[in-house]
Amino acid sequence: MLLAGIISHSEETAGLIRRFLGEMTRSRGLSLSCVSYDNSYAFLGDWRRGEERFDLLFWSFFPEGAMQTAADVRERWSDTEMVFLAEDDSRALAAFRLGAQHYLLLPATEAEVREAIDRCLSALEGSWRRKVLLKT
């Protein structure tokens, strides 16, 4: 089962991501669980307790501490696929330095959200193929 986290203060954006995540994972025969957070501080509480291990994270750059939290998560979970959500492109370079799979400018279109999710799912599926071990 894939676990996705959405860290966004915009319920409209979070709802759009949830809807397409559900549709696109079902179409690939994957099961999904999704957790939403209003901000990175709420997410940080769960993360510090080690309660969740996310396969996909969608990050809003509000509030300011989100980038440092994302860097900490990347250090701990190097294979988590991340998409950053922002109203401008001023932090795109920093996001890609953290290994972001995509950077969505808000408000995002349905096609842009689908593209971001497709990139993440393709990357996850590709890493699963690399991790197959055969004992001989």
Side-chain angles (χ1 to χ4, degrees):
M1 175 181 300
L2 291 177
L3 180 58
I6 303 169
I7 303 131
S8 175
H9 62 281
S10 168
E11 183 53 41
E12 181 180 336
T13 300
L16 189 63
I17 293 168
R18 275 192 305 271
R19 187 176 97 202
F20 289 127
L21 267 172
E23 289 175 11
M24 294 174 77
T25 53
R26 275 191 304 275
S27 72
R28 292 175 185 230
L30 303 170
S31 59
L32 172 74
S33 179
C34 192
V35 181
S36 293
Y37 299 93
D38 291 339
N39 58 60
S40 59
Y41 299 117
F43 165 78
L44 193 56
D46 280 355
W47 180 73
R48 284 187 175 151
R49 287 187 296 274
E51 293 178 6
E52 306 291 354
R53 178 21 186 119
F54 291 93
D55 299 294
L56 301 147
L57 284 172
F58 293 81
W59 290 93
S60 174
F61 274 123
F62 181 83
E64 199 62 34
M67 186 54 90
Q68 182 57 51
T69 303
D72 294 343
V73 168
R74 173 59 72 209
E75 187 175 312
R76 185 170 169 190
W77 300 331
S78 62
D79 58 345
T80 296
E81 297 301 333
M82 294 187 192
V83 173
F84 289 91
L85 316 168
E87 294 178 0
D88 62 50
D89 62 359
S90 64
R91 298 187 204 158
L93 185 57
F96 286 112
R97 284 184 177 143
L98 282 174
Q101 194 59 242
H102 203 80
Y103 190 94
L104 281 173
L105 289 174
L106 300 176
T109 66
E110 290 183 3
E112 292 166 337
V113 172
R114 284 181 176 277
E115 179 184 6
I117 293 169
D118 185 57
R119 283 184 183 192
C120 289
L121 293 176
S122 294
L124 284 170
E125 290 170 337
S127 69
W128 295 335
R129 289 184 200 106
R130 288 190 303 264
K131 292 180 182 178
V132 173
L133 299 174
L134 300 175
K135 183 176 179 180
T136 58

